Structures are given as structure tokens and as C-alpha cells.
Amino acid sequence: MNIVIVGAGIMGITFATLAKELNPSLKITILERLSGPGKSNSSVFNNAGTGHEANCELNYTPVDEELIEIEKALDIHAQFNVAKQFWAYLTNEGIIKDPASFIHPTKHCTLVHENSIDMLKFRFEEMTQHHFFETMQYSEDHDEIKSWIPYTMENRPRSEKMAATKIQLGTDVNFEELTIAMAAHLAKQEGVEIHYGTHVKRVHKNPIGRWLIETTEFGEKVQHKADKLFVAAGGGAFPLLKLSHLPERTRFAGFPVGGRFLLAPISEEDAKKYSAKTYGKAKVGAPPMSVPHLDLRAANGKHYLLFGPFATFKPVLEKGRGFVEYVRSMRLHDIPSLLNVALEHFPLMKYLISETFVGKAKMLEDLEAFAPGLASKFNWEISPAGQRVQIIKDGDLQMGTEIIVSDDQSYATLLGASPGASVSPEVMLRLLEQFMPSLLETDEAQTKLKEIFPESNLKILENDAKLYRKIRDDVNTSLKIC
Ligand SMILES: Cc1cc2nc3c(=O)[nH]c(=O)nc-3n(C[C@H](O)[C@H](O)[C@H](O)COP(=O)(O)OP(=O)(O)OC[C@H]3O[C@@H](n4cnc5c(N)ncnc54)[C@H](O)[C@@H]3O)c2cc1C
């Protein structure tokens, strides 16, 4: 069986790595338009590198008066645990030489002002009843919060009432390094070909049911054939779905949201002082991916502080691609969906358009409000982030990720981007179950699955505290993040 994957980001490369571990005889061809793996949204500063496990992101626990929903937070936490199981396996197998090349322990904190203190306390009380969040701490004490996240408190008047939660053991993940490590391993495997500089222009099925993939490879026209086609092309998945003639193509349209961060290099000394990711509360009308946060990041052996994201309305499929390509990817049947979203989500549109024109001075002002004194302490530059293309499904805007598998199980694609890279191994495992169920049925694959994932059932992790704690501690030890 010949499998073609479009896109060498974290998703496509994770899928290929997992599939190949389960069946080493698979033939896989990966086609990537850029010059290497993990260079688009998975690239280090195109995303925030938060190992999303719902420790600190308020948008995963919506509060409605007296009610707080923690189901989504439980799911994401369990998914991230499954992701760590996969990365621990890769490390134990020597596929990843040093986990510190991509994953770093860091505190995950939430910081709120006076009018959200009751909500944060309520959230803390509800969440700590579950074993996933049993280590969460809560404080309203200025000095204690300052000891957790100094940069956000140092120059803040003591009279300003604040509250914070902290989970000591969260992570910062460099998804680009992780993707590079997996791609390097794949490139050495028999039966795997990775073609960089290869732009997939069109995909269609021939009369005998094989997919024909038309590409330009360094300017030359080249055709590939596949029995199974997985399009893991980020925002680039939308135009290929439109060209696929699959019935699903009319149900989905893309709503692009760009982003920018403020980024500052800092010394090792400063990095020791602030080892945290601190999430605040989104502004009214802002989309969930615009929750402000101040993160310590590690890349290329150096340390950085990252603040943002500042959302922008940028009608392109991916960073570096043009407006014309986005427009050409649309079909007449998309127009009512886009208009519906524009009308139904008018405050969001207004917010995105106004944020697009925000300059550096205003961005620094926002930083100053989040962490007083920090704007002038470091040398901040604007760093353009990746591009999310949110899903519009049947006319409704969605914030999550959607796996689409054709009825004949020959075409699969992934749309949307949240919570994204953090949960990629769990999402790819579910995709394999739907897209290539026969691959998982063999005794060899079942044995391997148990070796890779001590427990991948999210509900079992959620309900069996003892098992969860054992797996958590084992994988953290393998990943050297305890
Ligand atoms: C601002 C921002 C912040 C984020 N923060 C976080 C975070 O803190 N934590 C987290 O877990 N996630 C975060 N994410 C989400 C995360 O970046 C994505 O979920 C993840 O990178 C998606 O991986 P991917 O492989 O699907 O896409 P990509 O990494 O974009 O890979 C897709 C690949 O497909 C290629 N491609 C596209 N079209 C074609 C074509 N026609 N032919 C050939 N190749 C093609 C592209 O060049 C690209 O390399 C963030 C995203 C953004 C935008």
C-alpha cells in the first residue's frame, strides 16, 4: 500500500512516524512545499510552544454564572498525557536523542485582576478535585504570586488586587525541533521518501480509485500516485479538499486569523528568574486564541520572552502565501458561509480588523498592563506568528480541529488548529483508527501500540487516578521534565 502525506509539519510527520512504528513495511511519501520539516505553523516562534494541558488557559473552562465546565479541560489534559507517552517512547527508543532539545519544564500560571478573582477561585476549587489538576495552587497574596511569576508583579502596586493559580510542572515545547527529529528518523527508514520544495497543486482520483497528486517539484511538474492520501497541510488543506471532488468539500470553508507576538531575547540569569507561562483573561470580544500570555521560551540554546498573541485579520492560507491563493481556493458555495460568519460574529470581525492596525507602541502598552515595567526592561521586537485557518462547518465558525475521512477511507485531512500541536500524537492515533483501521488490527501492531501507549484511552486516564499518576511520573522521567 502506498501512502502519500501532504505537509511535513508536526501533524504529517507524527502520522508518518506512528504509522511506520506500527507497520515498518509501509511505503510512505511525504510532499512538502517548503525546504524542510516544521517550517510553517510548527516552527518555533510561529506558535507559542505551550504544552497545552489545560493547566492555565481559562478558555478551556468556560464559566457560566455558578457553573464551570471542566470536561474540555479534562479531555485536553488526557490528550496531552497521551502525547507525552508517544514522545517518551521516541526518547526511550533513541529516536529522539535528547528530550531537552524540544521539551522544557516550566510553571503554568493564570493571573487575573480583581473582577475575575471569584471566578479563578471557583475554578481552582472545582479543578483541584480532579487528579489531573491536584497539584494546582491558588494565591491572592502579592508576595507569593511575585515569587511564582516575578515579572508580572514586581512593579505592580500592592493595592492592585490580583489572584493567580500555579501548576509547577507544565511544559514549553519546541514543536519545530520535535518535527525535525522525527523527520530525520523517517528519512533513514526503508520505504520512506520525503520531497521538500514540492508544492501539491491538485489532487484527484483516477477511474481505478487511486489518487493522483499533481505537484511542482522545484519548478518541474511531477505526478505522484497514492492508495491513501493524507492532507496535513495546515491552511493549505482547504484548497486541496475543494479540488478533491469529495462530497465533504461543500460543507467546509476556512476563516483565517493571523497573529503577531512581541519577542525579546533574555539572559540565562533572567530566564532563571522567570520560568513560567502566565495566561491572563481574553479581552471582551476577542477570540479564544487571543488570550494574552507571557512565556519563557527556549530555542537554539538561547532564552526568550514571548508576549501575545495579537490577532490579525489576514486573508491568506498560510504565513508566506498570498491573498490571491486564498481567494482562488474559495468556491461559490463558500460565500453564504463566509457571509453568515461575518454577520453572526460581527464583534469578532470588528476586533480582528482593529487589532490588525495595532502598532508596536500599543502592543507594548498591553505588555505593560500585563507585566508592569517589562516593556522598557528588554528589547522587544514584533515577531509575525503563524496563521490559523479556523473551520467554518455548515456555515458555523468552529474553534477546534476536524478530522475528515472519506467514505472509502482513501482520503483524510485535518482542518482547524486547536489545541493543535500539543495533542498531535493522540489526534493522529484517532486518525489511524478511522483512516487505516486494518493497520491496527494485526497482533504485531496491537503489541506495539501497548509498548508506545501504556494507556491511550482518555476516559480511563480520567477515571483511574493511580494509573494516571504512574504514567505521568514515568513519562515525565523519560522526558526529563520532573
Ligand atoms: C499564533 C499561534 C500560536 C499557537 N500556539 C500553540 C501553542 O502554544 N501550543 C500548541 O500546541 N499549538 C499552538 N498553535 C497551533 C500549532 O502551531 C499547530 O496546531 C500545528 O503547528 C499544526 O501543525 P500542522 O502540521 O497541521 O501544520 P503546519 O506546521 O503548518 O504544517 C503544514 C505543512 O504543510 C505544507 N503545505 C501546505 N500546503 C501544501 C501544499 N499544497 N503542498 C505541499 N505542502 C504544503 C506547509 O508548508 C507546512 O509545512 C499555535 C498556532 C498559532 C498560529
Side-chain angles (χ1 to χ4, degrees):
M1 186 195 302
N2 184 23
I3 303 163
V4 168
I5 298 171
V6 184
I10 185 98
M11 295 295 179
I13 293 293
T14 299
F15 179 85
T17 307
L18 180 56
K20 202 67 186 155
E21 286 303 302
L22 294 173
N23 182 345
S25 67
L26 285 179
K27 283 195 168 38
I28 301 181
T29 304
I30 301 170
L31 307 173
E32 167 56 54
R33 56 185 276 274
L34 299 175
S35 59
K39 284 187 178 293
S40 191
N41 272 2
S42 307
S43 176
V44 60
F45 292 127
N46 279 349
N47 61 72
T50 303
H52 285 304
E53 49 184 325
N55 291 335
C56 53
E57 310 85 340
L58 292 176
N59 54 310
Y60 294 152
T61 48
V63 182
D64 185 10
E65 301 205 341
E66 300 286 277
L67 270 181
I68 180 164
E69 282 175 37
I70 67 161
E71 288 67 28
K72 187 173 182 188
L74 294 178
D75 265 2
I76 290 171
H77 191 93
Q79 284 183 295
F80 190 68
N81 180 280
V82 173
K84 286 198 293 185
Q85 293 176 34
F86 182 59
W87 301 333
Y89 165 83
L90 297 180
T91 304
N92 296 339
E93 290 296 297
I95 294 169
I96 290 174
K97 301 281 172 283
D98 178 10
S101 62
F102 83 96
I103 192 162
H104 305 99
T106 182
K107 279 170 270 187
H108 277 188
C109 299
T110 311
L111 179 68
V112 297
H113 284 96
E114 191 166 7
N115 53 3
S116 300
I117 289 181
D118 289 347
M119 176 275 295
L120 191 69
K121 194 165 186 199
F122 177 44
R123 179 181 184 270
F124 163 77
E125 282 160 1
E126 293 292 309
M127 289 181 85
T128 42
Q129 288 176 32
H130 196 278
H131 54 269
F132 284 173
F133 305 106
E134 62 195 359
T135 61
M136 188 184 277
Q137 288 170 263
Y138 173 84
S139 181
E140 291 175 29
D141 181 84
H142 184 101
D143 293 328
E144 187 171 34
I145 302 175
K146 189 162 123 186
S147 73
W148 296 348
I149 38 178
Y151 286 151
T152 64
M153 297 300 282
E154 262 172 5
N155 295 302
R156 198 182 286 278
R158 296 182 78 85
S159 56
E160 207 177 321
K161 281 204 164 152
M162 305 293 288
T165 55
K166 174 184 82 156
I167 285 193
Q168 187 66 30
L169 211 108
T171 54
D172 177 62
V173 185
N174 183 333
F175 295 108
E176 182 175 353
E177 284 301 329
L178 174 61
T179 309
I180 290 172
M182 290 190 285
H185 172 70
L186 278 171
K188 286 188 253 157
Q189 308 273 298
E190 206 163 300
V192 176
E193 283 180 29
I194 312 185
H195 298 250
Y196 295 113
T198 301
H199 194 143
V200 176
K201 298 286 186 185
R202 189 163 171 247
V203 296
H204 55 106
K205 237 177 174 183
N206 71 10
I208 56 161
R210 292 195 90 195
W211 284 97
L212 301 179
I213 299 125
E214 317 279 354
T215 75
T216 50
E217 195 159 332
F218 293 107
E220 295 283 305
K221 281 189 179 170
V222 179
Q223 191 187 69
H224 294 265
K225 292 190 178 117
D227 303 305
K228 297 252 182 200
L229 175 62
F230 173 37
V231 180
F238 284 89
L240 295 180
L241 178 64
K242 295 285 165 192
L243 291 168
S244 70
H245 297 298
L246 293 172
E248 290 82 355
R249 75 191 186 285
T250 55
R251 298 186 61 196
F252 294 92
F255 180 81
V257 182
R260 292 177 291 168
F261 289 115
L262 283 173
L263 185 70
I266 61 167
S267 68
E268 202 168 335
E269 200 76 346
D270 287 323
K272 275 193 196 132
K273 190 168 159 187
Y274 181 88
S275 169
K277 284 176 177 278
T278 305
Y279 276 61
K281 201 165 179 284
K283 287 183 208 159
V284 177
M289 61 280 207
S290 289
V291 174
H293 50 98
L294 178 68
D295 297 12
L296 176 69
R297 304 292 318 271
N300 324 314
K302 296 189 183 119
H303 299 286
Y304 300 83
L305 278 179
L306 184 103
F307 179 71
F310 298 86
T312 56
F313 179 65
K314 207 170 178 192
V316 299
L317 294 165
E318 286 185 288
K319 190 175 170 183
R321 289 173 78 166
F323 171 64
V324 174
E325 258 191 286
Y326 173 65
V327 174
R328 283 177 57 189
S329 76
M330 281 195 264
R331 294 291 172 273
L332 270 181
H333 57 243
D334 294 334
I335 292 172
S337 292
L338 288 163
L339 287 177
N340 186 38
V341 166
L343 287 174
E344 238 182 65
H345 298 269
F346 187 66
L348 170 66
M349 298 296 295
K350 222 171 106 187
Y351 171 84
L352 289 177
I353 291 167
S354 66
E355 283 287 289
T356 307
F357 297 104
V358 159
K360 188 173 174 186
K362 173 71 176 66
M363 291 164 90
L364 288 170
E365 233 175 73
D366 284 4
L367 169 64
E368 198 56 21
F370 196 88
L374 210 62
S376 52
K377 189 174 168 73
F378 298 113
N379 188 15
W380 297 91
E381 292 297 337
I382 295 177
S383 174
Q387 178 80 357
R388 292 182 201 258
V389 183
Q390 305 296 146
I391 307 164
I392 301 174
K393 183 180 179 184
D394 301 327
D396 286 329
L397 186 63
Q398 321 248 316
M399 293 298 164
T401 306
E402 182 99 16
I403 291 176
I404 299 173
V405 178
S406 64
D407 286 345
D408 66 356
Q409 295 177 330
S410 68
Y411 186 103
T413 192
L414 194 72
L415 304 177
S418 186
S422 296
V423 298
S424 45
E426 201 272 340
V427 176
M428 291 303 105
L429 179 60
R430 302 304 158 222
L431 175 63
L432 271 175
E433 286 168 359
Q434 293 178 46
F435 184 42
M436 298 171 66
S438 58
L439 180 90
L440 304 176
E441 278 161 12
T442 65
D443 290 347
E444 292 81 1
Q446 283 299 318
T447 309
K448 197 69 183 176
L449 268 180
K450 289 205 178 79
E451 197 189 323
I452 301 176
F453 300 106
E455 184 53 74
S456 63
N457 184 314
L458 304 185
K459 284 290 163 216
I460 294 180
L461 290 166
E462 215 178 282
N463 294 325
D464 188 337
K466 202 169 153 207
L467 176 71
Y468 161 78
R469 289 189 194 109
K470 174 163 175 20
I471 293 174
R472 177 195 63 195
D473 295 345
D474 287 351
V475 296
N476 285 352
T477 305
S478 296
L479 294 171
K480 298 189 188 153
I481 50 173
C482 28

